Amino acid sequence: MEIVQYPHPALRWKSSDVKRIDASMRKTIEEMFELMYAAKGIGLAANQVALPLRLFIMNETGDSQEKDAEFVFINPEITSRKGSALGEEGCLSLPELYAEVRRPNEITVEAFDLDGQGFEITLDDLPARVIQHELDHLDGVLFIDRISESAEKELAPKLADFEIRFRNLQSSGDVPTDEEIVANLEAQVTSLTQG
Ligand code: ZN
């Protein structure tokens, strides 16, 4: 498992609901936490490790010792949004790239935890922003889709660099082609619906 970078097609994938939480899913989530901490992130969505599943993890402290701050959101849904706030965002799939994004400041989210228990939580400020950013990933939406036109212009050369780098990795065979990646995501979705 590894964190994929823009413009990997998994980042544009609209993910499927999780149907079953089993030992292999727990292992997957454990690995996602390890990757997130290693990359100094505070949130990571399944799309970012090329899994077409509606789940993400969060630890707003970014500290692997702070187990109480670890959250797993499975099949999450935002049920309420309040206020509006501008804040800087980055993404482990777009390293070193930052921009201001306007989002609701307070949200209520419903989800299932790793024990399959439903829960509801209302959060504001940073964790609310992380949740909205990660939930966007599950719909194939990136924070760069939500930035101002002027920020978009400013970031365009950097995004072009990401694009060139990714296409080079594909040309050298270090990364599968878009067609292969999409076929793999589709195969995973098929095995999910059959399982
Ligand atoms: Zn992200």
Side-chain angles (χ1 to χ4, degrees):
M1 185 189 285
E2 61 178 6
I3 298 175
V4 301
Q5 292 193 1
Y6 178 88
H8 191 289
L11 298 171
R12 290 306 188 186
W13 195 264
K14 192 164 172 20
S15 288
S16 305
D17 276 340
V18 173
K19 301 267 192 251
R20 188 179 52 194
I21 301 161
D22 55 13
S24 100
M25 169 137 309
R26 279 179 242 278
K27 178 92 189 108
T28 295
I29 287 168
E30 210 175 289
E31 285 178 41
M32 284 175 67
F33 271 111
E34 283 168 20
L35 282 177
M36 182 184 81
Y37 291 131
K40 304 199 183 306
I42 56 176
L44 185 67
N47 294 50
Q48 293 180 275
V49 292
L51 291 173
L53 296 171
R54 296 192 78 77
L55 73 90
F56 64 83
I57 59 171
M58 172 175 88
N59 181 338
E60 63 168 298
T61 71
D63 181 347
S64 61
Q65 303 306 308
E66 297 280 347
K67 295 288 174 205
D68 288 350
E70 286 187 349
F71 278 96
V72 179
F73 292 87
I74 298 171
N75 298 345
E77 258 179 72
I78 293 174
T79 55
S80 161
R81 297 171 170 84
K82 281 183 194 155
S84 170
L86 198 60
E88 192 180 67
E89 295 189 21
C91 182
L92 295 179
S93 296
L94 284 154
E96 314 281 309
L97 196 139
Y98 303 93
E100 301 244 286
V101 182
R102 181 167 291 284
R103 298 189 188 267
N105 188 50
E106 183 190 294
I107 55 154
T108 300
V109 58
E110 287 180 13
F112 293 90
D113 65 17
L114 259 186
D115 299 317
Q117 294 291 320
F119 67 97
E120 182 188 77
I121 190 167
T122 298
L123 294 161
D124 60 10
D125 299 334
L126 181 63
R129 180 170 295 280
V130 174
I131 287 169
Q132 292 174 86
H133 175 117
E134 300 308 330
L135 217 150
D136 269 353
H137 273 303
L138 308 184
D139 292 320
V141 174
L142 298 171
F143 81 99
I144 51 170
D145 303 335
R146 299 194 181 278
I147 61 179
S148 70
E149 228 170 276
S150 62
E152 213 173 294
K153 276 205 188 100
E154 209 174 297
L155 293 187
K158 285 187 179 173
L159 289 175
D161 287 345
F162 274 106
E163 182 91 31
I164 290 164
R165 194 181 153 273
F166 192 76
R167 299 304 168 205
N168 283 341
L169 286 169
Q170 288 181 317
S171 303
S172 62
D174 292 316
V175 169
T177 65
D178 280 7
E179 291 73 18
E180 286 166 338
I181 291 169
V182 166
N184 179 274
L185 290 165
E186 279 167 352
Q188 287 190 68
V189 170
T190 305
S191 79
L192 285 171
T193 49
Q194 284 171 349

